[in-house]
Amino acid sequence: MKDTENGGAGFIAIDAKLPLNRHGFEASRLVLGCMGFGGGWTRDPLTAEHLKQMHEGMDAALSVGINMVDHANIYAFGKAEQVFGQMLKERPGLRDQLVIQSKCGIRWAEREGESNRFDFSKSHILESVDGILSRLGIESLDILLLHRPDPLIEPEEVAEAFEALRSSGKVKRFGVSNMSAGQMRYLQAFLDEPIVANQLELSLTKLDWLDSQVHVNQEAGKLSSFPDGTLEYCRLNHVQIQAWSPLRGLFNVDLGQAEPRVRATDELVGSMAEERGVSKEAIALSFLLRHPARIQPVLGTSRPERIRACAEAMQVELSREEWYKLYVTSRGRPMP
Ligand SMILES: NC(=O)c1ccc[n+]([C@@H]2O[C@H](COP(=O)([O-])OP(=O)(O)OC[C@H]3O[C@@H](n4cnc5c(N)ncnc54)[C@H](OP(=O)(O)O)[C@@H]3O)[C@@H](O)[C@H]2O)c1
């Protein structure tokens, strides 16, 4: 427990058993995802309302013990980091209480006729980090993730970029996102520093991360696109697994149009939430929290009341039976 000097903050609940802890970070289990701040995917300038929303979102997160935030240089075309930087400027002292993560490697088309693309070149990584630090108004980023695998990756260049960033103090630790075990193993072979995190899309309704494990050597396994051995690689190597879009597919859908398995999952989640006196978000997130890899869900909502509803997940510990009931209901078919 640690008091903060910043409005709205009561305590910071550190999870000492997180893989990230081994890499020097005292981080909370839940992470505030910042893609929804800064006014979204428009080129309109930031407003006072966006800054107010950022303060309120951060207050809600701090009030429930969340001390880690997830950015990317592309979110809201840079405005998510910018509004976060404006907020930090108004709250001196807050930066040191946070674990700040951002990502680079996705590039929008800059001229007519160009495509959006991925870029892990040394120059692009270095330029991106300068942009991130300047928008956030900080001197050092805690964790930098490579956002999406670039097929043109030259790992020696990535290693040079990481070394330059580490030795200049601009980035403390490095990780990846949306990478398979094979891609991580390959990249790691060129790096002096450990890959500390991998952010993947995992949730109660997007289940390929589990189905790939239970359908080994079976026809049904062909339906799973999750890269074989990725969870195991991360667990063996103390790579923090983070779940992006942990509620998507259940909370932002029109249930009237949804697949029967999603409707059944919503009903089950609702009845379990009622039984325990917690929010539905808490049950959906507790499904991720119960996994022994100690996954960090990255929350997408920017609404204070929903951030608080998500945090109720920390009160829920599912039994094996409950966890499997959720899994089987969401799969929409029995275990093999
Ligand atoms: N690494 C990657 O490639 C990658 C990709 C995507 C996202 N991310 C990261 O992951 C974070 C989370 O992603 P996400 O926004 O897709 O996650 P999410 O937490 O699954 O949220 C998805 C949507 O669900 C809505 N929602 C939440 N609670 C709800 C409720 N009770 N009722 C109805 N709707 C509800 C939210 O809308 P409201 O905002 O209106 O509440 C949000 O737009 C992002 O902020 C970003 O940091 C990473």
Side-chain angles (χ1 to χ4, degrees), residues 70 75 177-178 199 244-245 247-248 251 281 298 300-301 306:
D70 179 68
Y75 290 163
S177 177
N178 303 302
Q199 197 174 105
W244 61 265
S245 291
L247 296 179
R248 204 168 279 275
F251 283 82
E281 288 91 334
V298 184
T301 185
R306 287 185 180 170

Side-chain angles (χ1 to χ4, degrees), residues 43 108-117:
R43 300 278 183 184
W108 303 127
E110 280 142 28
R111 284 169 213 85
E112 185 90 10
E114 273 187 7
S115 312
N116 293 341
R117 59 200 189 277

Side-chain angles (χ1 to χ4, degrees), residues 31-37 243-248 285 297-303 306-307 310:
V31 177
L32 180 67
C34 292
M35 189 168 74
F37 292 96
W244 61 265
S245 291
L247 296 179
R248 204 168 279 275
L285 292 169
V298 184
L299 311 177
T301 185
S302 52
R303 302 189 197 193
R306 287 185 180 170
I307 294 170
C310 288

Side-chain angles (χ1 to χ4, degrees), residues 40-185:
W41 299 101
T42 75
R43 300 278 183 184
D44 299 339
L46 284 177
T47 64
E49 189 50 40
H50 297 142
L51 180 58
K52 182 169 171 275
Q53 183 197 37
M54 186 71 253
H55 275 290
E56 289 171 356
M58 190 76 245
D59 282 341
L62 290 168
S63 74
V64 292
I66 295 174
N67 76 337
M68 180 160 178
V69 297
D70 179 68
H71 282 278
N73 58 350
I74 57 166
Y75 290 163
F77 298 115
K79 289 177 294 158
E81 288 178 336
Q82 216 183 325
V83 77
F84 196 88
Q86 290 181 4
M87 176 204 63
L88 284 180
K89 212 167 163 189
E90 292 183 2
R91 299 166 79 156
L94 177 59
R95 193 271 166 266
D96 291 341
Q97 295 167 26
L98 298 176
V99 178
I100 304 183
Q101 169 175 283
S102 190
K103 317 182 197 75
C104 71
I106 296 182
R107 254 182 119 148
W108 303 127
E110 280 142 28
R111 284 169 213 85
E112 185 90 10
E114 273 187 7
S115 312
N116 293 341
R117 59 200 189 277
F118 306 148
D119 191 343
F120 286 1
S121 63
K122 180 179 175 185
S123 58
H124 185 68
I125 294 172
L126 295 180
E127 273 167 33
S128 300
V129 170
D130 285 341
I132 290 168
L133 294 178
S134 141
R135 284 186 293 278
L136 291 173
I138 59 177
E139 284 174 7
S140 179
L141 190 63
D142 293 311
I143 305 174
L144 175 73
L145 305 186
L146 297 176
H147 206 153
R148 280 190 180 276
D150 172 11
L152 300 183
I153 183 173
E154 302 277 6
E156 297 88 346
E157 274 197 50
V158 174
E160 280 178 30
F162 283 6
E163 177 48 28
L165 292 167
R166 195 200 52 77
S167 59
S168 62
K170 289 183 181 177
V171 177
K172 293 194 184 106
R173 296 285 189 174
F174 301 90
V176 298
S177 177
N178 303 302
M179 276 203 194
S180 67
Q183 290 169 317
M184 293 172 78
R185 194 178 298 112

